[in-house]
């Protein structure tokens, strides 16, 4: 057993009661505790001038004591000690409560460091009960440092966690073994594990903290990418896939489509066909902007598969999407004799049984569904191709579970998340990538505007005009993150408000994440059938929805979304023959946020948006929601830390290409990779 596997109760000061609180945070072992990195730090090492302090924030000041401390007693027998201090920019009072030592601690002219919170009392600012230390005492132990702050749970204080972590570090006594051998650390500029563990929790300086962060972020990426390599090898090693027959051509079917394929679609179809005909398992990602026509390409692959005598499965993240894909596939294949079925969680047991039976016998050729598809009860007659749409919602593991239902079926993954190419090569390291980088002809640009709420009246008139001429509109209401209850209340309230204020004469519907699947479907159906003209929604409409008559997308508090997410929301409109509009509303005065929103009005290209997004984040500004965070990453952010992502990719390649894992130095890494591999697999899920 590893020392760090020991229970946290082996630490001094942690008994069963405290332990239970730590358990609540998911912390059971000493290792858990060590990997419970601070959420943020407060730098008490930086000295602020009195002139620059603001109420409600905490600062370290370096000051001279002015005169003697004064003491006063309140009616409630509280002793208040006041001490005036100053630096070359100003003067401020410090106050203590019931601290009898202060009076005798300082004398006029003493030079002191103080750290405390600034409060406003009447017109004056004071510093409340500061920690203090003599400036002349040389190396500072209390004030001149960077303090860690952790996520807490009720009953647990920062002090508790700090003490526990400190205890854990002492318990280990610098005896953590490094997963990276020295050779590798030198090559990639990584600091040693014990140094890093100490400095990520109790940084001795900003530089040392940076070194520690760099190492851990690198390590997270490294583990992730090793996992991908592992999967890729597993996918391909020794397995024989189906060789779909070349002679069965999809040309005839393509000729009957009401449009010609774009050359990008043709190229991607060619790449897919080659994979399908080869004896290796296809693991291919189709990346293409919203509306670029990924679905038809997947449908053609399914066609080829069915005509070869196999079944196909398509897994999508939501029931709305499942319904939609099922309908469009059924429509597309209506004269071909190919049967399409639907399986979703909200079906009755009876309904499911009927479908499952038909999938089992092969009566259904293609089954479209949600996660319900990976349940044990689902068995195929002869599964040949698995398609997953909007892959960032699924985990590698879920895909694997679905393909395990066949005998090495081919796998096609579609995503509209426009990730810059360099990044997708890394993140989708286990897949081959095809890009549809061209829009079908005649697509109108979605005119995009950025306004502040003072223009709302005009906007609403504009919307009404379009509703009157038969179009429909989406409103994405302000984002609420705090709680489910709040989310619901705020959507309802927002919906009521705009109905009352602007859309009395119109049919307004509402869609939110807390609705049951069939409620959602019902609303989407009404919207599709134009029984609803204005659809107020949280971001649940984000994924794949295709309603061509909807031409207006209004997004409130637009600064709170990432650019890629805005782009995806915008992609819900502009899908039909009518001119479409996207209106971004924001009152932010954050310059970067404004710049980002302005940029959205200038480009329609998802990949450009993604590149720009990366640039903005690269500059250290992390705004909006995390969209490409990978669960399992504690510190890393693939956008912000893209340099480390590349660096770690290099390291993984170096190790695998040179077969380093069989080397004695790499023994520890190998055993960690082996044991962690299962965990990594489960955690790799793009979201
Ligand atoms: P996405 O890539 O977002 O999944 P879809 O596959 O839903 O895009 O396609 C969007 C729309 O474009 C659909 O209505 C589809 O019928 C249409 N479409 C796809 N390919 C072409 C094409 N080559 N020419 C014209 N229209 C096309
Ligand atoms: Mg789609």
């Amino acid at each position: 057993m590893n020392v760090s596997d020991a229970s946290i109760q082996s630490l001094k000061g942690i008994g069963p009661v405290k332990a239970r609180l730590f358990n609540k945070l998911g912390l059971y072992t000493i290792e858990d505790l060590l990997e419970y990195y601070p959420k943020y730090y407060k730098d008490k090492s930086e000295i602020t001038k009195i002139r620059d302090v603001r109420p409600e924030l905490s600062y370290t000041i370096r000051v001279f004591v002015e005169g003697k401390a004064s003491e006063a007693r309140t009616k409630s027998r509280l002793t208040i000690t006041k001490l005036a201090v100053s630096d070359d920019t100003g003067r401020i009072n410090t106050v203590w409560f019931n601290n009898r030592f202060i009076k005798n601690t300082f004398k006029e002219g003493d030079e002191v460091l103080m750290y405390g919170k600034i409060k406003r009392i009447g017109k004056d600012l004071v510093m409340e009960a500061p920690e203090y230390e003599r400036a002349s005492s040389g190396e500072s132990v209390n004030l001149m440092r960077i303090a860690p702050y952790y996520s807490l749970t009720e009953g647990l204080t920062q002090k508790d966690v700090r003490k526990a972590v400190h205890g854990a570090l002492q318990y280990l006594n610098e005896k953590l073994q490094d997963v990276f051998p020295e050779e590798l650390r030198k090559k990639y500029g990584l600091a040693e594990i014990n140094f890093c563990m100490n400095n990520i929790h109790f940084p001795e300086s900003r530089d040392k903290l940076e070194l520690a962060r760099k190492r851990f972020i690198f390590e997270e990426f490294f583990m992730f990418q090793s996992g991908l390599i592992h999967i890729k090898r597993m996918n391909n090693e020794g397995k024989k896939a189906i060789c779909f027959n070349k002679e069965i051509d999809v040309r005839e079917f393509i000729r009957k489509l009401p449009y010609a394929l774009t050359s990008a679609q043709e190229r991607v179809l060619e790449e897919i066909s080659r994979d399908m005909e080869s004896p290796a398992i296809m693991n291919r990602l189709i990346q293409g902007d919203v509306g670029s026509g990924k679905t038809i390409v997947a449908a053609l692959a399914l066609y080829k598969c069915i005509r070869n005598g196999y079944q196909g499965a398509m897994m999508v993240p939501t029931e709305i999407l499942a319904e939609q894909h099922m309908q469009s596939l059924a429509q597309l294949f209506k004269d071909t004799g190919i049967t399409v079925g639907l399986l979703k969680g909200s079906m009755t047991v009876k309904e499911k049984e009927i479908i499952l039976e038909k999938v089992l016998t092969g009566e259904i050729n293609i089954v479209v569904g949600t996660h319900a598809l990976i349940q044990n009860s689902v068995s195929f007659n002869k599964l040949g191709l698995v398609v997953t749409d909007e892959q960032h919602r699924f985990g590698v593991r879920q895909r694997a579970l679905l393909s395990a239902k066949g005998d090495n079926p081919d796998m096609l993954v579609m995503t509209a998340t426009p990730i810059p190419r360099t990044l997708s090569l890394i993140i989708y390291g286990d897949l081959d990538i095809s890009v549809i980088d061209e829009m079908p002809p005649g697509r109108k640009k979605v005119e995009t505007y950025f306004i502040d709420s003072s223009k709302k009246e005009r906007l609403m008139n504009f919307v009404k005009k379009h509703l009157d001429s038969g179009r429909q509109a989406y409103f994405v209401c302000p984002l609420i993150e705090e709680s489910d209850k709040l989310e619901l209340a705020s959507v309802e309230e927002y919906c009521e408000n705009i109905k009352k204020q602007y859309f009395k004469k119109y049919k307004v519907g509402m869609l939110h994440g807390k609705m049951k699947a069939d409620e959602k479907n019902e609303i989407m159906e009404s919207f599709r059938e134009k029984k609803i003209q204005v659809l107020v929604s949280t971001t649940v409409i984000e994924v794949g929805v295709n309603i061509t008559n909807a031409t207006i997308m209004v997004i409130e508090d637009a600064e709170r979304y990432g650019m890629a997410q805005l782009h995806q929301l915008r992609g819900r409109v502009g899908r039909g023959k009518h001119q479409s509009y996207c209106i971004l509303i924001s009152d932010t005065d954050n310059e970067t946020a404004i710049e980002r929103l302005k940029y959205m009005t200038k480009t329609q290209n998802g990949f450009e948006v993604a590149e720009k997004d990366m640039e903005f984040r690269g500059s250290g500004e992390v705004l909006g929601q995390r969209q490409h965070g990978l669960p399992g990453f504690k510190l890393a952010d693939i956008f912000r830390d893209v340099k480390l992502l590349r660096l770690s990719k290099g390291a993984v390649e170096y190790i695998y290409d040179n077969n380093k894992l069989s080397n004695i130095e790499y023994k520890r890494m190998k055993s960690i990779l082996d044991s962690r591999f299962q965990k990594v697999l489960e955690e790799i899920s793009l979201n």
Side-chain angles (χ1 to χ4, degrees):
M1 195 165 117
N2 206 319
V3 272
S4 47
D5 289 337
S7 156
I8 46 171
Q9 286 200 46
S10 351
L11 296 174
K12 240 184 273 159
I14 300 187
V17 178
K18 273 264 157 66
R20 221 164 295 134
L21 291 172
F22 280 101
N23 294 167
K24 266 199 191 164
L25 295 170
L27 309 176
Y28 295 87
T29 64
I30 292 197
E31 181 175 1
D32 293 339
L33 199 54
L34 290 175
E35 289 184 6
Y36 196 62
Y37 303 128
K39 208 164 68 166
Y40 61 93
Y41 304 84
K42 270 189 198 167
D43 190 349
K44 301 181 183 178
S45 69
E46 192 178 309
I47 290 167
T48 303
K49 292 292 186 187
I50 289 177
R51 178 183 58 204
D52 297 326
V53 302
R54 300 284 174 267
E56 297 308 317
L57 297 174
S58 301
Y59 301 91
T60 303
I61 52 178
R62 187 186 188 105
V63 288
F64 289 100
V65 172
E66 298 218 324
K68 267 184 95 62
S70 72
E71 259 182 16
R73 298 227 327 165
T74 66
K75 271 185 242 140
S76 52
R77 319 193 91 226
L78 183 70
T79 306
I80 301 177
T81 309
K82 269 192 193 174
L83 180 73
V85 298
S86 68
D87 65 13
D88 55 356
T89 69
R91 185 169 187 278
I92 197 166
N93 267 320
T94 56
V95 293
W96 280 269
F97 306 103
N98 284 345
N99 189 332
R100 315 299 296 275
F101 300 108
I102 297 303
K103 204 171 69 177
N104 300 320
T105 304
F106 299 107
K107 62 176 196 307
E108 180 157 8
D110 282 352
E111 192 176 11
V112 189
L113 289 161
M114 291 178 162
Y115 177 84
K117 192 166 185 172
I118 303 294
K119 289 275 184 186
R120 187 185 289 283
I121 295 182
K123 284 205 315 278
D124 297 327
L125 296 182
V126 301
M127 181 176 268
E128 206 172 66
E131 299 170 47
Y132 56 84
E133 195 168 63
R134 282 183 198 285
S136 56
S137 68
E139 262 322 277
S140 168
V141 284
N142 296 311
L143 288 187
M144 302 295 284
R145 67 171 313 132
I146 302 169
Y149 287 78
Y150 300 87
S151 296
L152 299 174
T153 185
E154 206 178 319
L156 214 55
T157 63
Q158 290 298 347
K159 224 169 159 178
D160 291 331
V161 183
R162 280 181 201 150
K163 215 173 120 194
V165 172
H166 195 260
L169 287 168
Q170 284 191 321
Y171 183 94
L172 283 169
N173 192 23
E174 313 258 313
K175 293 215 172 55
L176 278 176
Q177 281 180 18
D178 209 316
V179 56
F180 297 128
E182 201 178 339
E183 175 215 358
L184 202 74
R185 291 205 306 271
K186 277 224 175 89
K187 194 167 156 70
Y188 293 96
L190 305 172
E192 190 271 333
I193 182 69
N194 289 288
F195 169 91
C196 290
M197 201 50 96
N198 285 322
N199 276 287
I200 197 83
H201 289 291
F202 299 102
E204 284 170 38
S205 70
R206 286 186 179 217
D207 288 347
K208 289 180 180 174
L209 173 59
E210 243 351 275
L211 279 173
R213 281 180 55 83
K214 175 183 169 185
R215 184 222 149 89
F216 288 123
I217 291 170
F218 182 98
E219 189 171 334
E220 285 179 357
F221 285 144
F222 180 90
M223 289 298 169
F224 169 72
Q225 292 181 94
S226 302
L228 288 181
I229 283 214
H230 212 114
I231 293 167
K232 196 162 189 171
R233 297 191 166 195
M234 249 181 20
N235 282 341
N236 302 332
E237 238 165 46
K239 285 189 189 162
K240 265 194 81 119
I242 307 153
C243 295
F244 289 97
N245 191 341
K246 215 188 184 103
E247 302 310 314
I248 292 178
D249 200 15
V250 296
R251 281 292 136 201
E252 195 193 336
F253 183 72
I254 293 173
R255 271 192 293 278
K256 289 189 192 136
L257 291 175
Y259 47 76
L261 295 183
T262 63
S263 55
Q265 285 171 317
E266 287 283 3
R267 189 189 63 239
V268 171
L269 183 63
E270 183 57 39
E271 287 163 354
I272 292 170
S273 299
R274 220 180 305 133
D275 282 359
M276 288 180 74
E277 288 154 17
S278 95
I281 300 178
M282 169 166 77
N283 279 292
R284 187 165 286 279
L285 177 79
I286 311 180
Q287 207 182 19
D289 221 335
V290 173
S292 61
K294 295 181 292 296
T295 314
I296 186 65
V297 174
L300 291 167
L302 285 165
Y303 181 87
K304 188 180 177 92
C305 164
I306 310 306
R307 283 286 180 255
N308 269 273
Y310 287 87
Q311 287 172 295
M314 185 186 252
M315 184 162 67
V316 301
T318 66
E319 299 214 341
I320 294 177
L321 263 181
E323 205 106 22
Q324 196 173 283
H325 275 306
M326 141 83 189
Q327 277 171 18
S328 52
L329 289 178
Q331 168 70 21
L332 195 63
F333 292 137
K334 70 177 186 298
D335 299 324
T336 61
I338 292 175
T339 51
V340 188
L342 177 67
L343 186 72
K344 44 180 193 166
S346 65
M347 283 175 157
T348 65
V349 176
K350 192 77 210 148
E351 286 171 322
K352 277 186 200 157
E353 271 172 13
I354 295 171
I355 294 288
L356 290 177
E357 176 66 22
K358 289 183 177 173
V359 173
L360 183 64
T361 59
E363 194 181 323
I364 285 179
N365 300 126
I366 300 171
V367 57
V368 182
T370 54
H371 293 81
L373 283 176
I374 55 179
Q375 242 106 70
N376 281 335
S377 54
V378 184
S379 301
F380 288 82
N381 186 32
K382 210 178 167 193
L383 181 60
L385 177 64
V386 167
V387 180
T388 57
D389 191 8
E390 311 293 348
Q391 107 97 21
H392 61 297
R393 303 274 156 160
F394 291 113
V396 168
R397 193 174 160 72
Q398 287 163 311
R399 290 194 329 239
L401 283 172
L402 186 52
S403 59
K405 293 181 182 293
D407 195 8
N408 299 333
D410 279 343
M411 169 87 71
L412 204 53
V413 178
M414 300 192 280
T415 179
T417 309
I419 291 175
R421 188 153 178 80
T422 47
L423 221 51
S424 57
L425 284 174
I426 299 171
I427 289 159
Y428 299 111
D430 58 326
L431 304 173
D432 298 312
I433 301 178
S434 292
V435 184
I436 304 185
D437 49 5
E438 182 187 352
M439 283 293 190
R443 203 54 60 85
K444 288 201 175 72
K445 277 202 313 202
V446 178
E447 278 185 33
T448 305
Y449 300 96
F450 164 33
I451 62 170
D452 63 43
S453 48
S454 70
K455 309 246 170 40
K456 216 151 179 179
E457 205 69 34
R458 271 178 65 190
L459 166 65
M460 293 306 187
N461 288 331
F462 174 83
V463 175
K464 283 187 216 168
K465 214 178 75 199
H466 283 266
L467 297 178
D468 290 339
S469 63
R471 306 286 83 75
Q472 291 160 284
Y474 293 106
F475 276 73
V476 175
C477 69
L479 190 70
I480 298 283
E481 286 164 66
E482 286 81 25
S483 81
D484 299 347
K485 273 195 205 118
L486 271 176
E487 176 188 325
L488 182 56
S490 77
V491 184
E492 276 170 350
E493 190 186 320
Y494 179 80
C495 196
E496 278 309 302
N497 278 345
I498 64 165
K499 207 160 144 180
K500 262 210 307 263
Q501 265 186 289
Y502 306 106
F503 299 122
K504 273 210 189 92
K505 293 197 313 242
Y506 301 85
K507 287 161 284 179
V508 181
M510 186 175 85
L511 194 69
H512 58 78
K514 289 289 141 322
M515 279 177 161
K516 291 214 187 73
D518 45 355
E519 288 178 292
K520 278 191 216 165
N521 288 341
E522 214 172 291
I523 297 284
M524 280 321 290
E525 255 341 282
S526 312
F527 193 54
R528 189 187 300 283
E529 290 164 11
K530 302 184 194 164
K531 287 181 197 153
I532 290 174
Q533 295 169 286
V534 175
L535 184 62
V536 175
S537 165
T538 53
T539 50
V540 289
I541 48 159
E542 186 193 336
V543 177
V545 172
N546 189 22
I547 293 175
T548 51
N549 191 52
T551 55
I552 296 179
M553 167 66 65
V554 178
I555 304 172
E556 295 266 6
D557 287 352
E559 81 280 0
R560 299 184 59 180
Y561 298 94
M563 294 171 79
Q565 201 177 6
L566 289 175
H567 182 72
Q568 290 228 337
L569 286 167
R570 174 167 67 184
R572 298 304 121 218
V573 296
R575 300 189 140 227
K577 55 183 185 294
H578 302 288
Q579 177 60 52
S580 289
Y581 305 89
C582 174
I583 293 97
L584 308 170
I585 306 178
S586 172
D587 291 326
T588 181
D589 48 18
N590 179 309
E591 275 173 36
T592 313
I594 291 170
E595 213 183 309
R596 283 154 33 101
L597 293 174
K598 280 191 180 151
Y599 189 81
M600 292 302 297
T601 67
K602 288 190 203 119
T603 182
Q604 300 281 320
N605 181 318
F607 289 92
E608 277 171 34
V609 169
E611 295 284 353
K612 201 70 184 177
D613 203 7
M614 187 155 96
E615 241 174 70
F616 276 122
R617 293 187 193 220
S619 67
E621 192 82 31
V622 186
L623 287 161
Q625 287 179 310
R626 275 178 72 121
Q627 309 153 67
H628 306 295
L630 301 160
F633 284 180
K634 295 191 170 100
L635 293 172
D637 175 307
I638 55 170
F639 278 91
R640 187 195 56 212
D641 305 318
V642 68
K643 279 198 191 116
L644 285 172
L645 184 58
R646 290 206 188 101
L647 195 67
S648 63
K649 183 175 169 63
V652 171
E653 280 164 359
Y654 168 74
I655 285 169
Y656 282 83
D657 290 349
N658 296 295
N659 211 4
K660 288 277 177 188
L661 287 180
S662 55
N663 199 320
I664 184 76
E665 275 200 305
Y666 284 79
K667 199 172 142 219
R668 182 165 170 77
M669 181 185 292
K670 181 160 173 13
S671 84
I672 286 190
L673 284 176
D674 286 346
S675 76
R676 276 218 198 150
F677 174 62
Q678 200 53 40
K679 209 168 127 199
V680 171
L681 235 191
E682 279 160 31
E683 282 169 352
I684 295 173
S685 147
L686 298 171
N687 196 351

